[in-house]
Structure formats: C-alpha cells, structure tokens
Amino acid sequence: MTVKTDKTKLLITIMLCFLVALMEGLDLQAPGIAAHGMSADYGLDKVDMGWVFSVGVLGMLPGAFVGGRLADRYGRKKVLIASVALFGVFSLVTTVAWSFSALLFARFLTGVGLGASLPNLIALASEAAGERMRGTAVSMMYCGVPLGAALAAAIGLLNLGVGWKLVFYVGGIVPLVIVPLLAFYLPDLYKPAQTGGATVELPSTKSILVENGSLKITLLLWVSFFFTLMVTYILINWLPSILIGQGFKPNEASMVVLSMQLGAAIGTLMLGVATDRLPIWVMSLLVYGGTLISLACLTSATALPAMMAAGFLAGIFTTGGQCVLYALAPQFYPANGRATGTGAAVAVGRIGAMTGPLVIGKMMALGAGTSGVMLASAPGLVLAAMSLLYLSSIKKGPAPTTSVA
C-alpha cells in the first residue's frame, strides 16, 4: 500500500509540475515569438527589445533565490502556488501595458513569478522521486518547459485577430486555472521543522552555500549554470529575429523555433534519464560538445530544412543541458537547504540568461551577423564544460544535513 501511495504521489506531483513547467516555457518563449509585432506597436529598436527580453530574466534572479529560500522555510507548495498566480497575472498585464516602462514592469514581475516557481518544481520532483530516479523525474517535469515554448511557437503561427497578444493571453489565463489544481491535489512531501506550531529557524544561507565543503561545489555549479543559461536564452530570445534578419519569413522563423523546442523536449527526457546512469564527466562532454556542434550548424545552415534540423539539434543540447544541471544541483545540498542551494544556482544562471540577450542585442545593433553571435557563445560553453568536469571529481551525493541554527 505504501509503494502504491508513493507512486501515486510521484505521478500526481510530476503531472502538476509538468503543467506549471509547460506554462513557464510558454511565458519564457512568448517575448521572442511576439517580438516582431511588439516592436512595431511600441516603436522599439533592437536594443529596446534586448531590454524586454532581459528584464523578465532580471525578475527571475530575485524570484529564484527568494522563492527557494521561502520554500525551505514555509514549504514548496505554498510558494509554488503564489509564484504561478504571480506570473499568470502579469502575463495578462503585458497585453495592456500602456507604455514601454509599463511593459518592462509587467515583464519584470512575470519574471519574479517564473523565477520563484522553478526551484520549487525541481525540489518537488526530486523529493517525490528519491535518489535513484531523481534525474528521470526532473526531466519528465522539465520537458514541459520546451514543450511550452513549442506551444508558444505554434501559437505564433495562428491568426485569431489579436496579433502578438495571443501568446500572453494563453500564458496568463491557463496558469490561473492551474492554481486551484495545485491547491487541492499537489502533495507537499517536504515539511519544515515545527516546534510548538512555530517554524524552526533554518540554517543560514552561508552555511548551505559555503560551509562544510560546499563552497567549491557552489562555485562550480554557478559557472555551469551561468554560461549554459546564457546560450540557451540567446537562442530563445534572439533566434527568431536573427532568422528574419537573414531573410526568413516570420512564420518560417516560428517553424525553426518550434523545431528547436521539440528537440529540447526530446533532449530533456533523454539526457535526464542518462543523468541517472552515466558519470557527470560523460554528461559534461555530451552536453557541451553537442551544444558547440549545434551552434556551428546554426551558423552554416542556409535553407529552411537545414536550419530546422540545426535548431532541433540545438534544442536537444541547450535545454537538455539545463535539465542535467537541474537534476544534479539538488544532489549536492541537504534536504533543509535543497531549494535554497538550487535556487541560488538558478538565480546565478538567470544573470547569464539576462546578460546574453543584452550583449547580443548590442552586437546586432552594431551589425554582427549570425556567425559573430554564435562564436561569442563558445568560450562560455568551454568554461561551463570545464566546471562540470571538475565537479565530477567531487564525491556525488547530498551534503550532510546542516544543523539547525
């Protein structure tokens, strides 16, 4: 009976977290899909659009860190529900923004909600699955992100008379529908320590991230997260505009993005399962070697079929590589600091995700072509690979449980 109950909880947890991840992926891809129409309506240039892309990621930075910290203190479920409601509401606000400043404000708060949700999704999937199936469970949950981005690309192909706003309507209404499902059906396996009805003070952030041998692990994770998310978000946000600048039609650019996100969904599942079976050093070579090859293919492709194939390959290794990092991070922190440690790594990754689109926006404004954009990504990928390779030399497994302050 216990085994059946545990399997049921795991299934329900993964299904509900998958739905949230689906909407997260849609909201992450939405600005890239809407960029052409949005820039026309607001009179934005490429640098302005770089800010639209990056301000949402900027909001994810405090969202990821604070969301993870609050989840370790008050529980994953409560914080996840609040974060989903937040990004649903402000995705809708994006459609009625009356100025460029209001648009940036809406995207920032959407990002806060998105950022706070992710470490909770990772922690919930990890804790429901346990050590043996952690990578598989996280990948099953996280494949909702690329599928959501693919859904955004598919929505971009529709013409229902509302233009670029359609993707934000979907990205706002559906999360608000998901909120009551989370409230009634999501199991919350992590229970903060209680004493006399009051929550016991958690270990300090310093003790989780720095002390007891954690500093080296934390820094290596941060470097890998930073550069991996930087490249992923360059592609998510700028690939449609880059393709249109090369002469592809907007609907053709959406087809390439759709191909990339379908590859991302497949890569997430494949690499997530592989993470449970292969050493970290093998995963590092696989992920970053594949990413560099896919960027070279994107640079050299000219015809639509070849570009779609290159996009598919890029999706496998960029977003799939993210999932590998998300599956690895919880293994190196104790249960009472798992969401904090993972949230901090995600927050650092968001700095890379914010920096990349801004830099590329300026490079494109100065006339840099596709090859320049792709070459600019290569050094960071090498550093990420080296960090993950070094991490593989450190004993795998969760750190000792940190004592309560």
Side-chain angles (χ1 to χ4, degrees):
M1 180 64 70
T2 301
V3 173
K4 184 177 180 181
T5 301
D6 289 344
K7 287 184 177 180
T8 301
K9 287 182 178 180
L10 175 59
L11 180 62
I12 292 173
T13 298
I14 291 178
M15 287 178 62
L16 289 174
C17 289
F18 171 85
L19 289 176
V20 177
L22 189 75
M23 287 299 101
E24 177 146 349
L26 185 144
D27 270 308
L28 290 172
Q29 184 66 68
I33 294 298
H36 189 67
M38 186 185 291
S39 62
D41 278 5
Y42 287 92
L44 307 179
D45 59 21
K46 287 183 170 60
V47 174
D48 291 333
M49 284 308 304
W51 277 108
V52 173
F53 296 148
S54 294
V55 75
V57 183
L58 177 63
M60 293 179 197
L61 197 162
F65 185 78
V66 175
R69 190 67 178 148
L70 291 176
D72 279 337
R73 183 175 178 82
Y74 299 110
R76 324 293 193 211
K77 181 174 178 177
K78 293 177 182 177
V79 179
L80 180 63
I81 289 172
S83 64
V84 172
L86 184 64
F87 76 71
V89 167
F90 281 95
S91 181
L92 292 175
V93 172
T94 301
T95 67
V96 295
W98 55 91
S99 66
F100 181 53
S101 297
L103 180 64
L104 294 181
F105 179 75
R107 296 313 303 161
F108 177 81
L109 287 181
T110 301
V112 172
L114 293 170
S117 69
L118 186 55
N120 287 283
L121 293 174
I122 296 169
L124 282 163
S126 297
E127 288 160 356
E131 180 70 24
R132 190 174 62 86
M133 291 185 61
R134 180 171 288 145
T136 302
V138 171
S139 69
M140 290 174 68
M141 173 279 293
Y142 192 73
C143 75
V145 172
L147 288 176
L151 177 60
I155 291 172
L157 298 173
L158 299 177
N159 182 12
L160 301 182
V162 295
W164 61 268
K165 296 183 179 182
L166 178 61
V167 69
F168 292 104
Y169 287 139
V170 176
I173 293 171
V174 177
L176 296 179
V177 174
I178 293 174
V179 164
L181 297 179
L182 297 174
F184 285 107
Y185 298 110
L186 180 65
D188 194 358
L189 302 179
Y190 172 79
K191 301 296 182 184
Q194 300 284 321
T195 301
T199 303
V200 173
E201 185 68 28
L202 284 177
S204 68
T205 302
K206 180 181 177 182
S207 67
I208 295 169
L209 301 180
V210 176
E211 297 175 353
N212 300 317
S214 294
L215 178 60
K216 184 183 296 185
I217 291 172
T218 295
L219 292 177
L220 291 171
L221 284 172
W222 284 6
V223 171
S224 294
F225 268 77
F226 180 93
F227 289 109
T228 304
L229 269 73
M230 181 188 75
V231 174
T232 302
Y233 277 75
I234 286 173
L235 293 179
I236 287 175
N237 287 313
W238 277 115
L239 186 58
S241 297
I242 290 173
L243 293 173
I244 292 172
Q246 287 181 282
F248 289 96
K249 298 176 182 178
N251 66 320
E252 291 176 331
S254 292
M255 290 171 64
V256 175
V257 172
L258 179 60
S259 176
M260 182 177 73
Q261 297 302 347
L262 290 175
I266 292 172
T268 294
L269 290 172
M270 288 180 8
L271 295 176
V273 172
T275 303
D276 286 332
R277 292 164 172 77
L278 298 176
I280 297 176
W281 70 268
V282 174
M283 296 306 302
S284 176
L285 295 176
L286 181 62
V287 166
Y288 295 108
T291 301
L292 288 169
I293 291 171
S294 67
L295 292 181
C297 292
L298 284 173
T299 301
S300 59
T302 54
L304 180 61
M307 188 63 78
M308 289 180 66
F312 184 82
L313 190 65
I316 289 177
F317 292 107
T318 55
T319 303
Q322 269 187 263
C323 182
V324 170
L325 294 178
Y326 293 151
L328 288 175
Q331 300 178 16
F332 292 98
Y333 295 104
N336 61 348
R338 185 169 293 144
T340 298
T342 303
V346 171
V348 171
R350 298 307 185 190
I351 298 175
M354 177 185 66
T355 303
L358 277 176
V359 171
I360 297 306
K362 292 183 179 180
M363 288 179 62
M364 291 183 64
L366 293 173
T370 305
S371 58
V373 170
M374 300 308 173
L375 286 173
S377 305
L381 290 172
V382 173
L383 284 174
M386 292 174 62
S387 296
L388 204 55
L389 283 170
Y390 189 21
L391 189 65
S392 70
S393 68
I394 300 175
K395 188 179 186 304
K396 180 181 175 183
T401 301
T402 307
S403 60
V404 176

